[in-house]
Structures are given as structure tokens and as C-alpha cells.
Amino acid sequence: MKKIVVGLAVMLGFCTCAHQPSGTLDVNKTLDYCAEQTQRTLAELKTDSGIDYTMMPRNIMADEQHWNCRKATKEEWCAGFWPGVLWYDYEYTKDKKIREEAEKFTNSLEFLSKTPAFDHDLGFLVFCSYGNGYRLTKNPVYKQVILDTADTLATLFNPTVGTILSWPREVKPRNWPHNTIMDNMINLEMLFWAAKNGGNPYLYDVAVAHADKTMKCQFRPDYTSYHVAVYDTITGNLIKGVTHQGYADSTMWARGQAWAIYGYTVVYRETKDPKYLDFAQKVTDVYLERLPEDKVPYWDFSAPGIPDAPRDASAAAVVASALLELSTYLPNGTGKRYKDAAIEILTSLNSDSYQSGQSKPSFLLHSVGHWPNHSEIDASIIYADYYYIEALLRLKRLQEGHGVLG
Ligand code: GLY
């Protein structure tokens, strides 16, 4: 296979500091590494009675060496990422055994298409698993699962507010009559897909309304985002912007901003309305301008203890993947700046500082799940691995002259 070596000469544009990540990024070599780690994970999931396909790798804490798995239930928002990792690994390796494993883990999520919505995470759950599965296999059963789940997700849409209710469970305990979290932007992709693949065209309108209201209400004047927007269900007006997983209501939670960058890039892809392209750049620029030297953010841009605060490799991986796509929608100069930024991020994640290597079977170290809850601090987390391998495949396609999305 042709080796793709990207020199660090491409690292220009956003860094005003002296330090830059060292090393080179060999995309195929890094994808080989991901394939090896995937085999290690599968090996450790095997028991005497075989693999329990309903148990999904979720995290490996800083002081642990093995995956903690969680049952694929409607409450486990991360259950689609491991099947998604397997689909991406299959896409790269073309290994039929990996495809079989991807199919079996994916099938454990079918119930989501047949049960009422628990919350907004249905896109993460079903589009990362079934979405990639359908993209690669065109299995009609997968298509129906996605279409049915998209309809289920749309039941959470409130037309008075104009957004999806992200967390029905938080309405009463928090007195958040209608709440929308930035993460919800990622789940719009499944609605767009369903609307153009035989589903209800109304799903497109839901996604656009959600993106518009979020753009209007869930960002500060400097384009940093609130994690949670709380709305009045009678007037549809914003009551307040607050945080749930960030440091403070007024700060930029790294992964929240990453979801915004990725989300508005997808909304532009699906609508081709230039206002979203402009907005995607604005939410990106404020994120890139405030990054530390190695381009992997602290878990919150105002986290206590900076420069010793934990990093969030998951946010870095999400942004790298998004910027590779965003770069393709822009003229050469601007597009190249974003592509170079993505390569710079991936080069940093590719280093010994962030790769798990032999120490554990995950791809990446150093993500933060939920600091205020004291959970998954400085851990390997499955969604970091998912967006990392997605970004690597996107870069590989671009380097080989193919479309970024496959
Ligand atoms: N969607 C939850 C998170 O990003 O942690």
C-alpha cells in the first residue's frame, strides 16, 4: 500500500506559539495500529462462552489496562461507537471476520428502532453503527432500522421551541422545561439522511429548525457555545444557557464546541446554505485560536489548573474529523488552513503522548468524559477512538484523491 507521509511542514495557520507537535503522520501505519488494537479488544472480549455482543467497550481508566464494558441499553449513549469502530476497521482492512463482528455488535442495537425515544442520543447510537453498516453493505434491513429510528428521534422535536428535547429525564429534576444540548447537533445527520433516503421529508425540516434555533440561542457573541440551552415551552424563548459537563456556564467546554464544529459542518453539507458554512468557520476559529501548543484542548478552555488540567483527546479527534470535511467546502487557501489544522491535531494524537500503544487496547489515552461528575477523567473513551479512526480514514481518502466521506 502506498505510504502517505505528511510532513509537519504543513502545520501553519493557527499556531502563534513556538512549540509544535513533533513527528510525522503515516496514515496507513496509524490505521494498521488501529487494526491491531481492535484485534486486541476483540481478544479481550472473548470469554469461554464466546463474546457477549450486547456488551460494548466504553472506557479504560488511567490506572487500568482493560476495557470496562456497558450493556447496550437505551440509556447507554456510547453503545454505537464500538460497532462503528469495527465498521471503520472493516472498511480499512476488508477483513471479513471484522465485518462479522461489526454485524453482530450492530444487531444488538436494533431494539432502538422499535422503542420510544429515551433521549436525543439515537443518532450517536444508530448512525455510528447502522449508518456505517449501511454505507458499507447496503443491507436493506439496516436502512429500515435507521429510517425507523429517525422517526423515533423526531418525536422529541418541539415545534414551539424549534429544537429537539435532548434530555426528557432532566425536565422535572432540573426544572429545564425544554432542554437542548450541543451534542444534539450530531444527531441531526441521521434525520437528514433519512429525509433523503425514503424517510419522511419533515425530518429535514426538523434538522434545519434545530440547527437554526441552536445557532441563534446557544452561542455567545464570540461564538463559543453553551452546553445546554433551556427553553420556555409556552413562548419557545431561551430561558438560559448553562453547562452540564463543562467547568462553568460561561466557559467553552471542549467537546461541546467540538460537537458544534462537526454539527454545523454536516448541516452545511446537507443544506448547502452558506450561512452554515460561515458559522462552522466561526465556531471553529474560536476553538483553534485558543488551543494549547499541541492542539489537544484542555477538557474545558477555562479548566482549573491549566496548564496541568487534563486534556480531552476525544474533542481533538471530533474536530480533526470535522475539519477534514469542512476543508473540502472552502476555497483552496481557507480549506487548506483547516486541513492543515486537522493534520496537525492528528499528528499530535499520533504521538506517544496520546496513543495507548502497548499499554492498553484502546487507540487513544487522555479523554475526559464528565469532570463535574468525577467520571472518566483522563481515560480512554470509545468515542475518542471512533472519531480518531473516522478522521484517519477521511484523511486517507483525501490523500488518495477520493471524496472525504467514502
Ligand atoms: N454526549 C455526551 C458527551 O459528549 O459527553
Side-chain angles (χ1 to χ4, degrees), residues 76-389:
E76 173 46 21
W77 78 277
C78 294
F81 293 119
W82 169 240
V85 166
L86 288 167
W87 283 117
Y88 281 137
D89 185 46
Y90 166 64
E91 185 173 1
Y92 175 64
T93 62
K94 308 282 188 295
D95 181 338
K96 288 200 175 65
K97 290 207 173 77
I98 293 292
R99 174 176 169 160
E100 284 166 19
E101 300 296 358
E103 288 168 345
K104 288 175 186 166
F105 280 104
T106 295
N107 289 342
S108 293
L109 297 169
E110 191 192 2
F111 74 96
L112 292 164
S113 66
K114 300 187 171 118
T115 42
F118 173 71
D119 68 16
H120 74 109
D121 284 322
L122 288 167
F124 283 112
L125 284 158
V126 167
F127 212 59
C128 297
S129 54
Y130 280 92
N132 279 307
Y134 184 73
R135 184 174 60 81
L136 295 171
T137 67
K138 298 291 179 277
N139 180 342
V141 175
Y142 290 3
K143 181 176 183 179
Q144 197 55 51
V145 169
I146 301 166
L147 292 176
D148 291 346
T149 310
D151 287 340
T152 304
L153 175 57
T155 63
L156 295 176
F157 182 70
N158 179 326
T160 304
V161 176
T163 68
I164 290 164
L165 170 63
S166 301
W167 287 330
R169 63 182 174 279
E170 299 293 358
V171 166
K172 283 195 180 143
R174 302 259 194 163
N175 193 21
W176 287 351
H178 180 94
N179 57 77
T180 298
I181 66 170
M182 193 50 67
D183 328 30
N184 204 146
M185 284 301 300
I186 304 300
N187 298 312
L188 305 185
E189 187 174 12
M190 182 170 70
L191 301 181
F192 282 122
W193 186 93
K196 68 181 181 191
N197 283 279
N200 192 334
Y202 160 77
L203 300 173
Y204 178 96
D205 301 332
V206 167
V208 168
H210 184 107
D212 283 343
K213 185 74 179 242
T214 300
M215 187 161 85
K216 186 170 163 220
C217 294
Q218 212 163 333
F219 291 86
R220 307 177 188 95
D222 65 358
Y223 301 103
T224 62
S225 53
Y226 293 104
H227 184 194
V228 187
V230 180
Y231 295 101
D232 185 314
T233 51
I234 311 296
T235 65
N237 292 337
L238 179 74
I239 299 172
K240 58 185 175 182
V242 293
T243 200
H244 178 68
Q245 281 162 259
Y247 175 58
D249 294 345
S250 60
T251 62
M252 177 165 49
W253 174 49
R255 199 165 51 258
Q257 196 73 12
W259 295 140
I261 293 166
Y262 195 113
Y264 281 97
T265 301
V266 170
V267 177
Y268 175 71
R269 178 215 301 161
E270 298 297 337
T271 63
K272 290 290 176 271
D273 185 330
K275 77 180 177 193
Y276 301 119
L277 185 60
D278 179 62
F279 197 68
Q281 290 176 80
K282 288 189 161 93
V283 299
T284 298
D285 289 347
V286 66
Y287 171 97
L288 291 177
E289 281 157 13
R290 298 186 193 180
L291 282 176
E293 292 175 3
D294 72 357
K295 308 301 173 195
V296 178
Y298 298 101
W299 67 274
D300 186 294
F301 281 74
S302 303
I306 290 174
D308 298 321
R311 304 302 182 93
D312 184 12
S314 76
V318 170
V319 170
S321 185
L323 295 192
L324 289 171
E325 179 177 359
L326 182 62
S327 73
T328 64
Y329 302 137
L330 290 158
N332 278 346
T334 326
K336 186 174 180 313
R337 270 197 323 146
Y338 291 119
K339 185 178 170 191
D340 289 351
I343 291 170
E344 200 175 350
I345 294 165
L346 288 174
T347 303
S348 198
L349 293 178
N350 193 43
S351 69
D352 289 346
S353 303
Y354 290 99
Q355 279 196 343
S356 308
Q358 284 306 306
S359 69
K360 39 189 102 181
S362 50
F363 302 160
L364 294 175
L365 307 166
H366 306 314
S367 292
V368 171
H370 197 324
W371 175 280
N373 243 9
H374 310 290
S375 71
E376 297 178 313
I377 313 291
D378 199 28
S380 293
I381 311 183
I382 190 65
Y383 44 81
D385 288 6
Y386 174 86
Y387 288 100
Y388 182 55
I389 192 170

